[in-house]
Amino acid sequence: YLSDSSSPAALTSAFVARGAVKSFAARTDFYSAFRNKGLTSFPTIDVSNGVGFAAAWEGFKGTTFPALNFASATSLSSAWINSTSLTSVPAIQAPVCTNFTSAWNGNTALATIDPNANFGESATGVNFLNVFRACTALESLPAGLDMSRGDDFRTAFYNCPSLTTIGSGVLLGTANGTATVNFTQAFLDCTGLTELPAGLDLSQGSSFSSAFNGCASLTTIGTGVLLGTASSNVNFISAFRTSGLTALPAGLDMSQGSLFNATFRDCTSLATIGTGVLLGTANATATVNYADTFNGCTNLTALPAGLDLSQGSDFNNAFNGCTSLTTIGTGVLLGTASTSVNFLNAFRACT
């Protein structure tokens, strides 16, 4: 196939246009096959027997790409990485693919994803690490997008500042079944994201560390959003740190959390914790860490009646700098189930 020492880009493009790649119908390994060839278009060809497509079209120069059938593919890792002119992901079919790591990473013109694309829907344990990282023009996750088989979404949408919407019925790791999905930094620095839509199911998550950190426009967590509710000992470290949240909605269930370090730190617009919000209440060992959880939440006015933080063992700086906090409601429980609790600077500078 075409190697990095092949003919110049124009000649390579001519070969592709004349159907030279049709001879690849029986090929199984497309590793770097068309990498950095200056191709501005690609024909619809039979790649159904292909298994590995790592970096196959890295640096592709075209604005569109055909909806190829990757029927046998198990890896599309970095397949289109740094294809900075590509504007959309077509309805590719990759039903058994388990590796989409960095597939479209760095595609700075990529604005849309076809919701009919098949991202490993017949596979298990699909890896979406960095899949759309730094796709700075990506506007939305379209309604019905199915990434349900994923178990690794680390930095999947990191630094997608134009991403404003997660559509209805988007599935992220819902078919995992083992409740070990990793959402660490999944939406980190998505500064345009405005809400987590009602009913968004992230119940299979075990780590949300910095998942929505830096989402400055994120004001709303919708009704019925599920965050790690099927898991246990969930990591929420810095999950919503410096986000634009204005309230934790009534009934928000983060009960399976064990690490809430800096979860809402410096959420300066957060004014309200709703009735029935659950933060670590399902932890059976009374070792929940609330260090810096609400540190710097300068608009928070009250800890509502009945707020149950009884499982906490560490409240170091938990409410430090909450300069608008005037009220601790009736029946608030702070570390009452634990035997040795750290309250160092817990309410410091609550002026």
Side-chain angles (χ1 to χ4, degrees), residues 247-311:
L248 303 188
L252 177 65
D253 188 347
M254 299 171 72
S255 62
Q256 297 294 337
S258 62
L259 296 174
F260 288 90
N261 310 57
T263 300
F264 306 103
R265 181 167 184 166
D266 295 325
C267 291
T268 55
S269 297
L270 182 64
T272 307
I273 299 173
T275 304
V277 168
L278 303 176
L279 303 175
T281 52
N283 183 281
T285 61
T287 57
V288 177
N289 195 328
Y290 294 110
D292 293 301
T293 300
F294 294 96
N295 191 341
C297 292
T298 54
N299 268 330
L300 186 65
T301 58
L303 304 188
L307 179 66
D308 184 354
L309 303 180
S310 61
Q311 299 295 320

Side-chain angles (χ1 to χ4, degrees), residues 28-96:
T28 59
D29 185 6
F30 285 82
Y31 172 71
S32 295
F34 308 101
R35 181 182 184 184
N36 294 326
K37 298 303 172 192
L39 296 176
T40 58
S41 64
F42 200 82
T44 300
I45 62 171
D46 183 1
V47 293
S48 60
N49 290 312
V51 175
F53 291 86
W57 293 277
E58 179 179 346
F60 178 68
K61 299 299 184 183
T63 58
T64 61
F65 195 87
L68 298 183
N69 180 12
F70 297 99
S72 304
T74 58
S75 177
L76 287 166
S77 177
S78 300
W80 295 274
I81 192 172
N82 295 330
S83 296
T84 55
S85 297
L86 192 64
T87 60
S88 62
V89 175
I92 64 167
Q93 300 299 298
V96 299

Side-chain angles (χ1 to χ4, degrees), residues 151-179:
D151 67 2
D152 193 345
F153 288 87
R154 286 176 295 162
T155 55
F157 306 100
Y158 170 37
N159 190 26
C160 292
S162 299
L163 181 65
T164 61
T165 307
I166 299 174
S168 175
V170 167
L171 302 176
L172 303 176
T174 52
N176 173 264
T178 61

